[in-house]
Amino acid sequence: MPYAAPIAQMRFALEAAADLWSLRARFPELDEDLLAAILEGAAQLAGDALAPINRSGDQAGVTLSDGVVASAPGFKEAYEAFREAGWLGLSADPAYGGQGLPRALMLAVFETVHAANMSFGLLPMLSMGAIEAIEMHGAPDQKALYLAKLISGEWAGTMNLTEPQAGSDLGLLTSKAIPQANGSYAISGQKIFITWGEHDLTPNIIHLVLARIEGAPAGSKGISLFIVPKFRDEDGSRNGVRCIGLEEKMGIHASPTCTLAFEGAEGWLIGEENRGLAAMFTMMNAARLNVGLQGVAIAEAAYQKARAYAEERKQGGAMIIEHPDVRRMLTLAKAKVQAGRALCYATAIAADSGDKAREDLYTPLAKAWCTELGVEAASLGVQVHGGMGFVEEGGAAQFYRDARIAPIYEGTNGIQAIDLYGRKLLGDRGEAMAMLIADALAEGARAPRLKEAAEALGEATDFMLSAPREDALAGAFEYLMLTGDVAGGMLIARGLGREKDQEQHALFEVYGEYVLARAPGRLPAIKLGAKALIA
């Protein structure tokens, strides 16, 4: 069975759990007919254009010849269909051709894209991040030059952070920017792991590049952000940036991951000098939420494939879907997917509504909890397939290989745990977390397992706020996962309080016993402390 967008599940998560209709005052054009049209249109694109080239793209991969990357067969046609439908402009500024709709709707569209073809989805995902960064930090002339073409999909965008010696610690980057007489900068250096850094799907690629202006302070405080187009703006000539290598990756084979050499490339400062990280974090936060959504999407795709296999594979005189343990794996995956979906949508709705505290708290949860879910569900999908899951012929292995990158990029999940503790929890001394716990306890009045898990999160939060930093950091990942357990459960419980759906009730019961009942068991690991890990 090919991928089919689970529109009913998506609508429950959007409307009942994440409270989409709370945005009506800000987005008066939003109504049920528009929502249905968007979801149905995205489902059709995903099912008809993207899913059919997912496996073939994985097998064919991409090629590099003379600095030019050739995309996998069918990707040009699929991108053109995506571009012509106007999906990139769904939530973008109408002044530059966007539709100005909620980010939550864009996120729902991208769930179908990533589930159908994660390699493909990375290209417009990065363009969307570039659009947000330029909208927020670009000068008027930069917005006029780049936004309309990025929003239309005519041009694509990338994000250039990592260098051979500078991964998560961007303060170590050595790419340099030398001021030029015309107001531009000559950008020199090498960037690695640049997703869709070179390709043949658009005539121009707009690179957002971190570099250090000559004489700037050392470390992260001296980093600036630059717009570096593949082809120069003024005359269309080739700029000094070229792809010098492609990574051979575990998964996402149809997505070119490039090493880019900047050789005196003409670039233009975006935002203020030495404030590049602040500007880049606009793009990174958008990417982190979208990567969390990738976890949900790949989990959904893996679940659908595993269920289809279980319904057609006979063993022991019955289809294997009749075996209780197979039903356990499938139902657990589906229940956790729904919780992760609600968490991602709720993060976007917090952004749409201007609830910055909730958006900031939810973002590391969405990125980390949901990408861990993606790996777990893809692994369960392999298990359901049995021996056929472990060979490429079965098709389940691709989902596992593709899912495994998501906990790593856009800040590893360990970094998300540090962010949740250091920036979010300590940043407001637990105020936003206290609101989440209060919400969970309120919903827990009708769901004892949720109440128990929320109480455990309260105890864990008290520990994290009072413990020495090293001890808190030692428990930070488990603390994040506990918070995600509770947040996902709270959102589904809220949805059930608004909409009586028998399937959702059944899924929440499974989530309660398999996830929330185990949540208090995370407390000992959270409180273990650093000494035991060092020893």
Side-chain angles (χ1 to χ4, degrees), residues 305-347:
K305 180 162 181 54
R307 176 169 178 164
Y309 181 81
E311 289 174 337
E312 65 186 25
R313 171 69 171 173
K314 192 172 184 179
Q315 186 169 298
M319 299 301 176
I320 65 171
I321 198 166
E322 300 301 328
H323 292 252
D325 192 55
V326 171
R327 284 188 171 273
R328 172 191 66 83
M329 291 186 281
L330 291 173
T331 309
L332 176 59
K334 186 173 184 178
K336 293 191 74 172
V337 165
Q338 190 66 329
R341 177 180 287 128
L343 178 55
C344 287
Y345 291 172
T347 306

Side-chain angles (χ1 to χ4, degrees), residues 136-155:
M136 184 169 292
H137 301 285
D141 62 326
Q142 292 172 336
K143 294 179 181 181
L145 181 59
Y146 296 111
L147 282 180
K149 291 187 176 182
L150 285 169
I151 288 169
S152 71
E154 179 181 347
W155 292 353

Side-chain angles (χ1 to χ4, degrees), residues 148-209:
K149 291 187 176 182
L150 285 169
I151 288 169
S152 71
E154 179 181 347
W155 292 353
T158 72
M159 179 167 58
N160 288 247
L161 292 78
T162 307
E163 299 181 3
Q165 79 294 338
S168 299
D169 187 356
L170 293 172
L172 298 176
L173 68 81
T174 59
S175 291
K176 61 182 180 180
I178 301 175
Q180 304 296 295
N182 67 349
S184 70
Y185 291 78
I187 311 296
S188 298
Q190 187 178 108
K191 298 291 184 178
I192 63 171
F193 301 157
I194 308 306
T195 302
W196 285 97
E198 169 61 31
H199 58 84
D200 58 359
L201 299 190
T202 60
N204 204 359
I205 303 171
I206 309 306
H207 302 291
L208 268 63
V209 184

